[in-house]
Amino acid sequence: MTESWISCEEVVERLVDYLHQELDNHTSAEIERHLERCHDCFSRAEFERRLRERIARSGQQEAPERLRRRIREMIDHF
Amino acid sequence: MATSTRHDLPVASPQERKDQFEKQVAHLMDRLYGTALRLARNPDDAEDVVAETISNAWKKLDQLDDCAHMEGWLFRILHRTFISQWRRRQCRQDKEVELEPESGDDRFSLFEKLHQPFLLWWGAPEKEFINTLLQEDIGKAIDHLPDAYRVAIVLVEVEGYSYEEASRLLGLPLGTIRSRISRGRCRLQKALWQQAHDAGLANCCSQPPGTRGGDV
């Protein structure tokens, strides 16, 4: 049985799609295997993953009180 | 069977229904506003997007079959509300993103700027960089992205939509979404690098921006 080995260049090229779970199962599994044995690619993936978590948090922002009031008044008039 | 787990709004009286709606909206307000702010870039426009979203949601409330789906449903309305405003604006403005040629910024990688081989992840400068990033720096970097990149990044990176869902919402081919996410991420990283450098926070990297691939 032959096992295909994905190169670092291919991992870098597909890393964003991999993190977004946009790859087929076979390619994702190949990348996972590569990350288990390649320190640099593992660090890169970890960095991109953490950055993604921080970016996702930017969607949380305290709504101003005047907006909350505006919405309450609007709903009162529905 | 399935109906026993449903949280139907119509069983409530009109006032209860309104109270329930108001309660759920209030609970989601910070996220609704945060997402609208990332999309619209300024507080006044973001507030208008949220208000229009709530108004549209109330009008369509009968279409919501299960109150447990309220959150996803509200956010889809918010995105559609913003996107229709945005399209109207785009028709009046230039189409710079579609015509913009690929540049060095589209290959920029913060990791490549910061990474030092042979250091383990937990002691690495790139980890330090992530830890020192302020949430407002990230917000500012997203706000500076060109519109088309920013909207794709917010939908996929902030809201967690799949490429296919973003493609449907924006009415764009999947390949265009993929390309905007890829280029948008690189530009976002470039902006973060520039901000960190300007603030003197990028001192873990020995070379100034522009000298190790990509230029500022």
Side-chain angles (χ1 to χ4, degrees), chain A residues 41-56:
Chain A
C41 287
F42 170 81
S43 294
R44 183 187 288 265
E46 202 53 31
F47 175 79
E48 296 292 345
R49 203 191 312 271
R50 301 256 182 135
L51 184 60
R52 194 173 176 224
E53 284 168 9
R54 296 294 308 273
I55 292 169

Side-chain angles (χ1 to χ4, degrees), chain A residues 12-13 16-23 39-64 66-68 70-78, chain B residues 18 21-22 25-26 29-31 33-35 37-38 44 47-48 51 54-55 58 107 109-112 115 119-121 126-127 130 133-135 138 142 156-158 162-163 178 181 185 188-189 192:
Chain A
V12 171
E13 196 62 40
V16 173
D17 292 341
Y18 166 75
L19 293 173
H20 289 128
Q21 298 176 320
E22 295 282 348
L23 297 175
H39 169 69
D40 274 4
C41 287
F42 170 81
S43 294
R44 183 187 288 265
E46 202 53 31
F47 175 79
E48 296 292 345
R49 203 191 312 271
R50 301 256 182 135
L51 184 60
R52 194 173 176 224
E53 284 168 9
R54 296 294 308 273
I55 292 169
R57 270 189 256 157
S58 72
Q60 183 83 21
Q61 187 95 21
E62 195 177 345
R66 72 172 176 182
L67 175 63
R68 288 185 177 273
R70 177 178 170 184
I71 299 299
R72 275 197 303 271
E73 286 168 6
M74 203 169 82
I75 292 175
D76 280 349
H77 286 94
F78 284 157
Chain B
K18 198 192 268 194
F21 179 72
E22 185 172 350
V25 164
M29 190 57 74
D30 288 346
R31 268 195 61 212
Y33 176 70
T35 302
L37 188 60
R38 288 285 81 81
D44 288 345
E47 289 181 28
D48 288 346
I54 303 307
S55 170
W58 180 255
R107 309 293 299 177
S109 161
L110 260 178
F111 177 81
E112 284 169 17
H115 181 60
L119 283 181
L120 295 174
W121 160 255
E126 59 267 25
K127 187 184 176 202
I130 293 265
L133 268 181
L134 297 176
Q135 215 49 48
I138 296 175
I142 294 175
V156 173
E157 301 281 6
V158 179
S162 68
Y163 291 177
R178 195 180 295 274
I181 292 297
R185 275 182 70 97
L188 181 64
Q189 295 196 8
L192 288 171

